[in-house]
Amino acid sequence: MCGIVGVIGAETPDREQRLAVAARTLLHRGPDGDGQYLTDLAGLAHTRLAVIDPIARSDQPMIDPETGSVLVFNGEIYNYRELRTELGSHGHEFRTASDTEVLLVAYRHWGTQCLDHFNGMFAFCIWDTNRRRAFVARDRLGEKPFHLCHHDGSVWFASEVKALLAAGVLEPTLRTEELYRFLAFGDLGHPRFTMFGDCWQLPPAHAATISGAGVIDEWCYWDLEGSAAELADATVHADHVSELWHSAVTMRMRSDVPLGTSLSGGPDSSAVIATVRAHRPDGELHAFTASFPGTEADELAEARRVADAVGATIHPVLLSASDLARGVDPMIRANESPVEAASQFAQYRVMQEAHDAGVVVLLDGQGADEVFGGYDKYAGALIADHALRGRVRDAFAAELAWRSVHGSPILPPVGRYLGRVSSTAHRRRIAALEVRRSRWLSLPYTRANNNVDPVAGDPSQVQRPGHVTDGLMRQDLMRWTLPRLLHYGDRNSMAWSREVRLPYLDHRLIELAVAVPAARKIVDGWTKVDVRRLLRELNLDFVANRRDKKAYMPPQKQWLSDPVIIDRIRESWSRLHREGMLATAAPDDDPLHRWRALAVASWADQFGVSLAEP
């Protein structure tokens, strides 16, 4: 895991200095080494967090001795050992034991089609000296960031916006529609745009070539729909999930530095730590858990039980409103945007604890809900599917099964999903949201942003009758829920020079899961049946049988009413009111509204962004 920054375009007198300044802002991503490469049409810089082959021979930028191509790379190629063997069979030789060299040799052998062979998380740039162009790419789900901007006819890129700002190639201007989208919808997951006006992202699963003249030719190299094959046999599916799961975890355990896990006590992270222990039965195993003492959200007791069951050492991170008051600004700065909830602060502090404990790599359970059907809303959507297909008896049976397991009706109500088959109904629902938003957003601000599309970046928002659930899960995976969680995960971990690895996002598992209809993921009132089956195989039946699902959410309402932070919230709210965004001068009681006001004001202060309309 590392930081990368570069420029493609004609050489300028100050290019080397700008690169050096930009790279210094990324030292938290790579404290173990740094380097630069400069030629007439390209400049590349790298800061290294040494995880695989952590010695000087694997430093970057790395140059291919046969072709002269130069690589800067952020992330991990998990299947590098298998690719090294395959490439070796074609006569290629290796000088290091790193995945960096495997990536470079794979490009030498397969060209841009090397992307089809990678199992990993990555953002990289290869300067092809023979073709005199750059080849850049980002992993399938967008775990690793890749930001771009134009400056003086050149294309600049970096792992973080801070590097582009520090280099003086990007001004801290506001993209007003993205700010509105956050305040109104809580949306931060646009695949291309950022909150900064002149900065954009290479979307997940995309690659591009950049010519020496700065011409960008971009394409999508992986598509969720096209990658999934139909799988009808449920027994074959269950066996295949187990096989791929163990492969995904063991690949992500490859590390030459200390490795541990995040642990909440819920099914997803429990399956991760139990699988790690199954493949590493001896030695210390460290788990890091956020705790909110004295609240219903606290899962420390559940996490301790799991840690005891697998023989892991647990590191509780006890959090309070005072911690939030002290840490909100550095957390927002690390994320380079407002964040949607205080839960991101909890993740930020967990990564700090891992840093203090000397554990560099953490496996995490992110993505299980989106891939295997873990959110309660999917059960409601599934009942809507039955109704829309005329299967009234199946709809009633599913509702009764849910009540039998959970003791209460499904929330949100099933009726919410019935309208998703109609674009007219969907737009009506958005209009109703506009009315509710006007209670805290000012009417002039809402009217001024009337043309902002609430579903931008998601052309699949309207679903076919009877296929609501599968579509909803795909949307959460590729546009709504997961993209912003991956953004937070990268920034919060790299702020403390930690590397987070996500086995549930192995593309082989995703392709398998997408091939299976939702009705086989949510069965008899139980969500995530595949994950529960894995837990039973791992002898964690007490986790598999848990009926409750606790969101990873601190007591946000309580914290945001605490005297240690309420003055800060009033100040933030008043500022946004003066800028014409909020309807009232004093905060209302909605914790989401309070948090969004606080987050936006903090972000604007951290980066010197004017919130006034241009």
Side-chain angles (χ1 to χ4, degrees), residues 267-406:
D268 309 337
S269 59
S270 297
V272 171
I273 194 170
T275 308
V276 171
R277 177 55 86 196
H279 292 278
R280 187 176 289 179
D282 301 318
E284 282 192 313
L285 178 57
H286 295 270
F288 299 86
T289 300
S291 175
F292 317 114
T295 71
E296 292 182 1
D298 190 29
E299 287 192 281
L300 182 56
E302 291 91 338
R304 284 193 189 280
R305 187 177 179 189
V306 173
D308 290 344
V310 301
T313 300
I314 194 166
H315 298 255
V317 182
L318 308 181
L319 298 172
S320 68
S322 296
D323 295 311
L324 179 65
R326 288 191 299 269
V328 63
D329 287 332
M331 184 269 292
I332 293 287
R333 180 165 181 79
N335 277 273
E336 302 185 318
S337 74
V339 303
E340 64 178 322
S343 55
Q344 311 318 321
F345 175 70
Q347 184 186 52
Y348 177 82
R349 287 284 286 106
V350 163
M351 296 303 157
Q352 181 181 5
E353 180 67 21
H355 170 273
D356 294 346
V359 176
V360 179
V361 175
L362 289 95
L363 272 65
D364 188 274
Q366 194 69 263
D369 287 319
E370 294 82 3
V371 174
F372 288 109
Y375 294 126
D376 291 356
K377 64 182 178 180
Y378 299 149
L382 184 59
I383 294 174
D385 274 336
H386 289 317
L388 291 165
R389 291 178 179 177
R391 300 174 181 170
V392 178
R393 183 175 297 178
D394 290 341
F396 275 111
E399 170 68 23
L400 289 173
W402 183 270
R403 289 173 182 258
S404 174
V405 171
H406 301 278

Side-chain angles (χ1 to χ4, degrees), residues 159-274:
S159 298
E160 296 185 7
V161 181
K162 286 188 285 290
L164 302 174
L165 293 169
V169 299
L170 177 70
E171 293 297 320
T173 58
L174 174 68
R175 192 182 299 273
T176 55
E177 63 270 26
E178 290 305 301
L179 176 60
Y180 177 76
R181 196 173 278 122
F182 172 71
L183 288 171
F185 309 108
D187 178 24
L188 287 168
H190 197 286
R192 189 173 296 278
F193 298 138
T194 74
M195 201 72 78
F196 293 91
D198 297 317
C199 180
W200 75 98
Q201 305 176 83
L202 185 67
H206 277 63
T209 57
I210 307 174
S211 72
V215 177
I216 302 175
D217 181 17
E218 181 184 299
W219 69 94
C220 177
Y221 67 85
W222 181 79
D223 176 73
L224 183 62
E225 304 297 333
S227 301
E230 192 65 35
L231 186 67
D233 190 309
T235 303
V236 171
H237 167 75
D239 292 342
H240 204 185
V241 167
S242 181
E243 176 189 345
L244 287 181
W245 170 250
H246 284 271
S247 174
V249 173
T250 54
M251 277 189 180
R252 284 158 180 78
M253 290 172 61
R254 294 170 175 174
S255 171
D256 294 326
V257 295
L259 177 145
T261 78
S262 303
L263 179 63
S264 70
D268 309 337
S269 59
S270 297
V272 171
I273 194 170

